[in-house]
Amino acid sequence: MTVRKVLFCLILLSTALILDAKSFEKYMYFSNKAELLIAQERYQAAVMQYDSAFAYWEKPFAADYRNALQCAVIGDNMEKGYRYARALMLLGCDIDFFRKQARLKKFRASKAWRQLIDEYAALRQAYLERCNWQLRSKLEQLKGRDQYWRNQDPTYTIFPDSTYKEDKEIMKDLLSCLKDGYPTEWEIGVFISRDTVLESDPISILLYHNYVSDETYKEGPDLTEQLLGCVKSGQLHPEVFASLHNRSGGYRVMEGYGYDSFVYLIKGKYYTEKRSAAQINSMEQLRSEIWLDSLEEMKEKFVFQNCLNKGHFGFFQGSFLSIDDMPIPLLQQFFEEVEECK
């Protein structure tokens, strides 16, 4: 083989690797595998899967870095812990996010943590300079307006006309923020509550309230295709889309993605709906199209996180837990208790 042919093959190989390194589908595949391994308490193996996921996507979600950090610390791999913590700092996690987590005590006693402390000022400055503060501030203001009206009129019965009008104005302003896509954590940073909890961004909360089509509530804009495009481009986590979509009333497709009615907390116990094979197949097909795990895998992770007291890991970007109460006959007819949570 001539030198020219060797160089040509190397160029083709490097091009293939570059293209391969930008696959959101593979990112989701490996991050899903990592979460399942965590649910099986195979933390070191989970770290390997997370590393594969991060190699395939240049802008991972903070929740995945956080899970990877927990796994690395449990497995005494402080070098990997350093890398994940550093990434979280660049997304806006301040020093208290790490200092106030008891489960990171071993990490804070390591050489890797001391190195991060030395670099923290520079990492914080890099985040402050990269963050789109104008957009972040606007989104926080929209959330504040939304929360104010819900506190004033939570049932839309006291000032319905004013509340609907304000919702419409909020949504108009929000859509202007989405014209170039769904702002990611790499653009607007993470949102943290109680020092250590990664919160949903303001956009998803606003969409929960206004991305609807319901005769008994109100009709909002149908953003299904727009949001689905944001999923396909890796800007919006598929779980957030699935959760939003399942709550959007008339915009739901077939059986949806299984989030809105996946698990109920009823009378202090966890239940799932009884579903036909056709319903399950429909949901599984939709979930596979946006690279979500299977319903059984989601259930396994839910049990680990909520029933086995392993809640320091966070698997779910969206909100699917429904809290309700109902008569026993209806409960027995349409629901079955989650055996693993008894």
mmCIF file of all heavy atoms in Angstrom, residues 95-111:
data_model
loop_
_atom_site.group_PDB
_atom_site.id
_atom_site.type_symbol
_atom_site.label_atom_id
_atom_site.label_comp_id
_atom_site.label_asym_id
_atom_site.label_seq_id
_atom_site.Cartn_x
_atom_site.Cartn_y
_atom_site.Cartn_z
ATOM 1 N N ILE A 95 -19.279 25.601 44.596
ATOM 2 C CA ILE A 95 -18.528 24.793 45.550
ATOM 3 C C ILE A 95 -19.438 24.157 46.601
ATOM 4 O O ILE A 95 -19.192 23.046 47.068
ATOM 5 C CB ILE A 95 -17.426 25.652 46.219
ATOM 6 C CG1 ILE A 95 -16.302 24.760 46.753
ATOM 7 C CG2 ILE A 95 -17.979 26.566 47.282
ATOM 8 C CD1 ILE A 95 -15.442 24.165 45.667
ATOM 9 N N ASP A 96 -20.529 24.846 46.982
ATOM 10 C CA ASP A 96 -21.443 24.298 47.987
ATOM 11 C C ASP A 96 -22.157 23.050 47.484
ATOM 12 O O ASP A 96 -22.556 22.194 48.277
ATOM 13 C CB ASP A 96 -22.478 25.351 48.396
ATOM 14 C CG ASP A 96 -21.913 26.368 49.370
ATOM 15 O OD1 ASP A 96 -20.854 26.086 49.962
ATOM 16 O OD2 ASP A 96 -22.510 27.444 49.522
ATOM 17 N N PHE A 97 -22.353 22.942 46.185
ATOM 18 C CA PHE A 97 -22.990 21.757 45.613
ATOM 19 C C PHE A 97 -22.232 20.503 46.009
ATOM 20 O O PHE A 97 -22.826 19.442 46.241
ATOM 21 C CB PHE A 97 -23.053 21.893 44.095
ATOM 22 C CG PHE A 97 -23.683 20.721 43.390
ATOM 23 C CD1 PHE A 97 -25.054 20.609 43.295
ATOM 24 C CD2 PHE A 97 -22.894 19.728 42.816
ATOM 25 C CE1 PHE A 97 -25.645 19.527 42.644
ATOM 26 C CE2 PHE A 97 -23.463 18.646 42.161
ATOM 27 C CZ PHE A 97 -24.849 18.553 42.075
ATOM 28 N N PHE A 98 -20.921 20.604 46.111
ATOM 29 C CA PHE A 98 -20.077 19.463 46.456
ATOM 30 C C PHE A 98 -19.817 19.389 47.962
ATOM 31 O O PHE A 98 -19.788 18.295 48.533
ATOM 32 C CB PHE A 98 -18.757 19.556 45.695
ATOM 33 C CG PHE A 98 -18.925 19.647 44.204
ATOM 34 C CD1 PHE A 98 -18.972 20.888 43.578
ATOM 35 C CD2 PHE A 98 -19.059 18.508 43.438
ATOM 36 C CE1 PHE A 98 -19.136 20.980 42.202
ATOM 37 C CE2 PHE A 98 -19.217 18.586 42.063
ATOM 38 C CZ PHE A 98 -19.270 19.836 41.443
ATOM 39 N N ARG A 99 -19.651 20.532 48.590
ATOM 40 C CA ARG A 99 -19.331 20.540 50.013
ATOM 41 C C ARG A 99 -20.476 20.055 50.882
ATOM 42 O O ARG A 99 -20.251 19.513 51.961
ATOM 43 C CB ARG A 99 -18.937 21.961 50.432
ATOM 44 C CG ARG A 99 -17.506 22.342 50.070
ATOM 45 C CD ARG A 99 -17.192 23.756 50.496
ATOM 46 N NE ARG A 99 -15.777 24.080 50.316
ATOM 47 C CZ ARG A 99 -15.291 25.308 50.318
ATOM 48 N NH1 ARG A 99 -16.106 26.334 50.507
ATOM 49 N NH2 ARG A 99 -14.004 25.521 50.147
ATOM 50 N N LYS A 100 -21.703 20.242 50.445
ATOM 51 C CA LYS A 100 -22.857 19.927 51.282
ATOM 52 C C LYS A 100 -23.481 18.566 50.982
ATOM 53 O O LYS A 100 -24.563 18.267 51.473
ATOM 54 C CB LYS A 100 -23.899 21.042 51.159
ATOM 55 C CG LYS A 100 -23.396 22.379 51.708
ATOM 56 C CD LYS A 100 -24.486 23.418 51.791
ATOM 57 C CE LYS A 100 -23.964 24.697 52.437
ATOM 58 N NZ LYS A 100 -25.027 25.729 52.589
ATOM 59 N N GLN A 101 -22.797 17.763 50.190
ATOM 60 C CA GLN A 101 -23.287 16.407 49.931
ATOM 61 C C GLN A 101 -22.485 15.430 50.787
ATOM 62 O O GLN A 101 -21.295 15.213 50.558
ATOM 63 C CB GLN A 101 -23.138 16.051 48.451
ATOM 64 C CG GLN A 101 -24.038 16.867 47.541
ATOM 65 C CD GLN A 101 -24.037 16.350 46.118
ATOM 66 O OE1 GLN A 101 -24.298 15.174 45.866
ATOM 67 N NE2 GLN A 101 -23.739 17.228 45.169
ATOM 68 N N ALA A 102 -23.147 14.849 51.769
ATOM 69 C CA ALA A 102 -22.462 13.942 52.689
ATOM 70 C C ALA A 102 -21.841 12.760 51.954
ATOM 71 O O ALA A 102 -20.763 12.272 52.329
ATOM 72 C CB ALA A 102 -23.452 13.436 53.741
ATOM 73 N N ARG A 103 -22.477 12.300 50.888
ATOM 74 C CA ARG A 103 -21.978 11.132 50.169
ATOM 75 C C ARG A 103 -20.691 11.421 49.380
ATOM 76 O O ARG A 103 -20.098 10.512 48.817
ATOM 77 C CB ARG A 103 -23.054 10.585 49.229
ATOM 78 C CG ARG A 103 -23.635 11.609 48.292
ATOM 79 C CD ARG A 103 -24.852 11.061 47.561
ATOM 80 N NE ARG A 103 -25.604 12.125 46.908
ATOM 81 C CZ ARG A 103 -26.563 12.818 47.468
ATOM 82 N NH1 ARG A 103 -26.901 12.560 48.727
ATOM 83 N NH2 ARG A 103 -27.219 13.758 46.814
ATOM 84 N N LEU A 104 -20.298 12.693 49.313
ATOM 85 C CA LEU A 104 -19.041 13.047 48.643
ATOM 86 C C LEU A 104 -17.904 13.287 49.639
ATOM 87 O O LEU A 104 -16.851 13.800 49.268
ATOM 88 C CB LEU A 104 -19.237 14.303 47.777
ATOM 89 C CG LEU A 104 -20.185 14.168 46.576
ATOM 90 C CD1 LEU A 104 -20.243 15.475 45.806
ATOM 91 C CD2 LEU A 104 -19.767 13.024 45.663
ATOM 92 N N LYS A 105 -18.118 12.919 50.895
ATOM 93 C CA LYS A 105 -17.112 13.161 51.931
ATOM 94 C C LYS A 105 -15.772 12.532 51.568
ATOM 95 O O LYS A 105 -14.706 13.149 51.717
ATOM 96 C CB LYS A 105 -17.610 12.614 53.270
ATOM 97 C CG LYS A 105 -16.656 12.858 54.423
ATOM 98 C CD LYS A 105 -17.234 12.331 55.739
ATOM 99 C CE LYS A 105 -16.282 12.587 56.896
ATOM 100 N NZ LYS A 105 -16.837 12.063 58.181
ATOM 101 N N LYS A 106 -15.805 11.304 51.075
ATOM 102 C CA LYS A 106 -14.572 10.603 50.703
ATOM 103 C C LYS A 106 -13.870 11.322 49.548
ATOM 104 O O LYS A 106 -12.633 11.417 49.519
ATOM 105 C CB LYS A 106 -14.906 9.162 50.314
ATOM 106 C CG LYS A 106 -13.710 8.297 50.029
ATOM 107 C CD LYS A 106 -14.074 6.820 49.988
ATOM 108 C CE LYS A 106 -15.207 6.504 49.035
ATOM 109 N NZ LYS A 106 -15.428 5.042 48.893
ATOM 110 N N PHE A 107 -14.653 11.856 48.634
ATOM 111 C CA PHE A 107 -14.086 12.600 47.504
ATOM 112 C C PHE A 107 -13.413 13.881 47.983
ATOM 113 O O PHE A 107 -12.323 14.241 47.524
ATOM 114 C CB PHE A 107 -15.195 12.908 46.494
ATOM 115 C CG PHE A 107 -14.738 13.697 45.294
ATOM 116 C CD1 PHE A 107 -13.771 13.187 44.441
ATOM 117 C CD2 PHE A 107 -15.283 14.937 45.016
ATOM 118 C CE1 PHE A 107 -13.346 13.915 43.327
ATOM 119 C CE2 PHE A 107 -14.876 15.669 43.914
ATOM 120 C CZ PHE A 107 -13.905 15.159 43.064
ATOM 121 N N ARG A 108 -14.051 14.558 48.937
ATOM 122 C CA ARG A 108 -13.505 15.820 49.439
ATOM 123 C C ARG A 108 -12.216 15.614 50.236
ATOM 124 O O ARG A 108 -11.473 16.569 50.486
ATOM 125 C CB ARG A 108 -14.546 16.544 50.301
ATOM 126 C CG ARG A 108 -15.748 17.049 49.500
ATOM 127 C CD ARG A 108 -16.567 18.026 50.326
ATOM 128 N NE ARG A 108 -17.107 17.412 51.528
ATOM 129 C CZ ARG A 108 -18.263 16.766 51.595
ATOM 130 N NH1 ARG A 108 -19.029 16.638 50.504
ATOM 131 N NH2 ARG A 108 -18.682 16.242 52.736
ATOM 132 N N ALA A 109 -11.963 14.393 50.631
ATOM 133 C CA ALA A 109 -10.720 14.095 51.364
ATOM 134 C C ALA A 109 -9.596 13.664 50.422
ATOM 135 O O ALA A 109 -8.489 13.358 50.877
ATOM 136 C CB ALA A 109 -10.975 12.990 52.384
ATOM 137 N N SER A 110 -9.864 13.668 49.124
ATOM 138 C CA SER A 110 -8.899 13.152 48.160
ATOM 139 C C SER A 110 -8.023 14.246 47.551
ATOM 140 O O SER A 110 -8.337 15.440 47.626
ATOM 141 C CB SER A 110 -9.636 12.418 47.025
ATOM 142 O OG SER A 110 -10.342 13.355 46.219
ATOM 143 N N LYS A 111 -6.952 13.818 46.941
ATOM 144 C CA LYS A 111 -6.058 14.723 46.224
ATOM 145 C C LYS A 111 -6.787 15.366 45.046
ATOM 146 O O LYS A 111 -6.534 16.536 44.712
ATOM 147 C CB LYS A 111 -4.839 13.941 45.737
ATOM 148 C CG LYS A 111 -3.821 14.777 44.991
ATOM 149 C CD LYS A 111 -2.640 13.916 44.555
ATOM 150 C CE LYS A 111 -1.632 14.745 43.761
ATOM 151 N NZ LYS A 111 -0.483 13.891 43.303
#
